Amino acid sequence: MSNASQSPLPPLPASDRPEVAARLRDALLEASFTADGLLELLGAPAYAALARSETVPALRATRGDTPLEVLVRLFLLQQPVPHARVADVLPVEACLESGWLARTGADEISATVDVRPYGGPGGEDWFIVSDLGCAVGGAGGIGRRDEGVVLGVGGASTTLAGITVRTPVAAALDLGTGSGIQALHAARHATRVTATDLNPRALHITALTLALSGAPAADLREGSLFEPVRADETYDLIVSNPPFVISPGARLTYRDGGMGGDDLCRTLVQEAGERLNEGGFAQFLANWQHVEGEDWQDRLRSWVPRGCDAWIVQREVQDVNQYAELWLRDAGDHREDAAEYQARYDAWLDEFEARKVKAVGFGWITLRKTGAAVPSLTVEEWPHPVEQPLGDTIRDHFDRLDHLREHDDAALLEGHFRLADEVVQEQVGLPGAEDPEHLVLRQNRGMRRATRVDTVGAGFAGVCDGTMSAGRILDAIAQLLGEDPVVLRDRTPAQIRLLVEQGFLVPVR
């Protein structure tokens, strides 16, 4: 490992000076240091390059002397800037005193942390704070590998934010908060937000993120998993992007769980049930092992706590070689000593071999606390494109499950349904054929599912507008097709249930 990676992490700005954070925020907004402002200044190609950790296009685009260019060089590109130029844009003395900025030369100023504009779901101008060189996808990539380093916003962070159910709640818990992005989102719709992390540096940075974004302060607690949560505390929403990487040791706090195999993710899921209020959601990103001789879906079903519905979606699977390479490169090991890289690679494969792991899955886990006698457990593989945000889609999924659970087939046929928005029908068959080989309903929103239906299913879905009961629609179809209406009523509810469960049909009353 290089000496740079072993150097101590620098001190952070003071988190108990909210008035300085407020002044800094005002100055950033005044200069249009926002997601929209960056796109306009840099242009799409340079903006995209910055997301790939390529800085040259952004450096070329900020050769001028405007306030926004100064801020980009200072906070995004981590370049020293003359004191006089910074003083024209920021309350420089207050920022120096509180630690947001530092003197790096006789007449130069540098940022002590990465500050990255982030657009909130309601158009808010937020800012995510992270360690220098560690804004995922940012200027320097992950430039440090210290145990306590705190990363910024990456694809996993935005994925979790997008799938989270955003119903207004009294209490939310962000477990393993990191740079604070999930706590920031939760602050929009939760009266009280608690954020925990094993790394005290992460809690400090979360406080900075919330303050600089103009969000209410969270209740910050240090500790692992649910340890910081009191026995009598429960929540309406629990979210976690945990250190889910399955690795041969807890080398990097931000990604390595420190437990054997996928035990950290399993423990997190299993312990979440007793921390949820009735009707509350717990949502996680996770890795799980594909073990030789074991069904991966059965493995995940065994994680689900009693009294909870679950929807688990596997988005990706990597063989053990791909997985080891991904995370070795994430740490920059491929750029270090070749023998050390090979030794680390070998250690990962030894660990997997000992556990009979042949692949690793990645995906989303959503739990909902339910009083149902028989909870619903859905475990599926869905590697196809989806439309984010999916929070409403996930909430509606569980609402539809409740409807199906509460209605037997007779009650289902008395109910009314409508076709979900932006569902289209496709006919698949040979060109020129009189009849299609099969019919497909396809969603253009949410999960973007496609499902095959027969003529009755397609006809039923096509006329569902909420005005007629399901039974009356089937009677009309039976008359049109010359079929026995009793037989049709008997065999169709299973297809209706599938279309409701998958979101093609929506109960209206």
Side-chain angles (χ1 to χ4, degrees):
M1 187 178 295
S2 67
N3 291 333
S5 65
Q6 295 173 333
S7 60
L9 288 164
L12 293 169
S15 59
D16 59 351
R17 297 287 303 276
E19 73 284 357
V20 177
R23 291 178 63 191
L24 176 56
R25 172 178 171 78
D26 289 343
L28 297 178
L29 294 177
E30 176 67 23
S32 297
F33 187 68
T34 64
D36 290 342
L38 290 184
L39 182 58
E40 183 176 351
L41 170 68
L42 301 178
Y47 193 82
L50 191 61
R52 299 191 301 270
S53 301
E54 296 291 347
T55 61
V56 172
L59 285 167
R60 291 173 61 87
T62 56
R63 289 179 293 192
D65 215 24
T66 67
L68 181 54
E69 288 169 297
V70 169
L71 293 176
V72 170
R73 288 199 299 273
L74 189 65
F75 286 116
L76 268 65
L77 302 177
Q78 279 97 58
Q79 300 293 307
V81 177
H83 182 285
R85 289 301 301 119
V86 179
D88 288 340
V89 183
L90 299 177
V92 66
E93 296 307 320
C95 288
L96 285 167
E97 181 185 353
S98 63
W100 287 96
L101 303 174
R103 300 184 191 275
T104 54
D107 191 39
E108 287 187 329
I109 300 294
S110 293
T112 59
V113 288
D114 186 294
V115 174
R116 198 147 299 252
Y118 179 81
E124 300 91 347
D125 289 315
W126 289 339
F127 300 96
I128 307 299
V129 180
S130 65
D131 276 312
L132 291 174
C134 297
V136 178
I142 301 174
R144 303 184 65 98
R145 287 173 287 157
D146 306 78
E147 181 180 347
V149 75
V150 179
L151 271 58
V153 177
S157 303
T158 54
T159 293
L160 179 59
I163 68 172
T164 300
V165 175
R166 297 298 174 190
T167 305
V169 295
L173 171 64
D174 175 15
L175 193 151
T177 187
S179 62
I181 179 176
Q182 309 305 330
L184 184 57
H185 276 276
R188 294 184 71 246
H189 63 100
T191 303
R192 176 171 57 90
V193 177
T194 301
T196 72
D197 206 288
L198 179 64
N199 182 3
R201 189 176 182 88
L203 297 175
H204 192 139
I205 283 182
T206 291
L208 299 176
T209 290
L210 294 173
L212 195 58
S213 298
D219 179 3
L220 304 177
R221 304 183 191 178
E222 182 180 345
S224 177
L225 297 179
F226 288 100
E227 288 176 1
V229 179
R230 296 191 299 271
D232 61 344
E233 287 182 300
T234 54
Y235 298 88
D236 307 298
L237 174 67
I238 300 172
V239 293
S240 183
N241 176 18
F244 54 68
V245 176
I246 300 171
S247 61
R251 179 182 169 205
L252 298 173
T253 302
Y254 73 84
R255 70 169 204 193
D256 300 324
M259 296 186 184
D262 52 16
D263 282 355
L264 182 136
C265 292
R266 175 186 56 79
T267 301
L268 177 61
V269 173
Q270 289 181 337
E271 293 183 356
E274 63 185 21
R275 300 296 185 177
L276 281 175
N277 293 324
E278 189 72 19
F281 286 91
Q283 298 185 266
F284 316 105
L285 301 184
N287 273 171
W288 44 79
Q289 298 173 150
H290 285 230
V291 179
E292 185 178 341
E294 178 184 74
D295 187 314
W296 68 270
Q297 294 181 323
D298 289 342
R299 182 181 190 84
L300 290 173
R301 289 188 186 98
S302 73
W303 291 9
V304 178
R306 303 181 74 174
C308 288
D309 291 329
W311 185 15
I312 302 174
V313 181
Q314 179 168 272
R315 295 287 290 159
E316 184 179 1
V317 180
Q318 291 183 314
D319 66 49
V320 293
N321 298 323
Q322 292 173 311
Y323 189 79
E325 291 163 13
L326 169 67
W327 293 109
L328 287 168
R329 288 178 177 273
D330 168 80
D333 292 322
H334 62 299
R335 295 191 293 268
E336 302 296 329
D337 179 75
E340 186 175 350
Y341 172 78
Q342 291 174 4
R344 291 191 187 279
Y345 199 148
D346 214 27
W348 284 64
L349 297 187
D350 284 345
E351 179 80 5
F352 287 133
E353 184 177 343
R355 295 179 176 276
K356 298 183 179 180
V357 176
K358 58 184 180 179
V360 177
F362 166 80
W364 318 324
I365 298 176
T366 300
L367 307 176
R368 186 190 60 166
K369 192 69 170 288
T370 178
V374 182
S376 169
L377 305 182
T378 301
V379 183
E380 61 176 323
E381 185 165 18
W382 191 254
H384 311 294
V386 298
E387 182 192 43
Q388 285 274 39
L390 279 169
D392 289 348
T393 298
I394 290 174
R395 181 200 61 213
D396 293 345
H397 167 85
F398 287 96
D399 288 345
R400 293 193 305 272
L401 287 182
D402 283 343
H403 183 88
L404 294 175
R405 195 156 40 199
E406 295 164 0
H407 291 75
D408 60 18
D409 286 355
L412 195 72
L413 293 178
E414 292 177 1
H416 295 241
F417 302 89
R418 68 170 178 83
L419 188 66
D421 296 335
E422 296 194 41
V423 172
V424 298
Q425 177 181 305
E426 299 174 356
Q427 298 186 166
V428 181
L430 294 174
E434 184 175 343
D435 296 312
E437 293 179 12
H438 56 265
L439 302 171
V440 174
L441 297 182
R442 186 178 300 277
Q443 301 167 349
N444 287 321
R445 302 291 301 273
M447 292 293 288
R448 293 180 172 170
R449 295 188 186 276
T451 189
R452 290 179 60 172
V453 291
D454 59 18
T455 304
V456 172
F460 180 87
V463 298
C464 277
D465 61 2
T467 60
M468 294 175 60
S469 70
R472 287 187 59 194
I473 292 174
L474 289 180
D475 291 343
I477 292 175
Q479 184 176 12
L480 182 65
L481 298 179
E483 294 196 26
D484 185 334
V486 176
V487 173
L488 203 60
R489 279 175 171 255
D490 184 59
R491 68 177 173 86
T492 306
Q495 189 170 192
I496 296 175
R497 286 185 180 277
L498 178 64
L499 292 176
V500 172
E501 180 180 343
Q502 294 189 344
F504 291 93
L505 295 177
V506 180
V508 296
R509 65 176 91 163

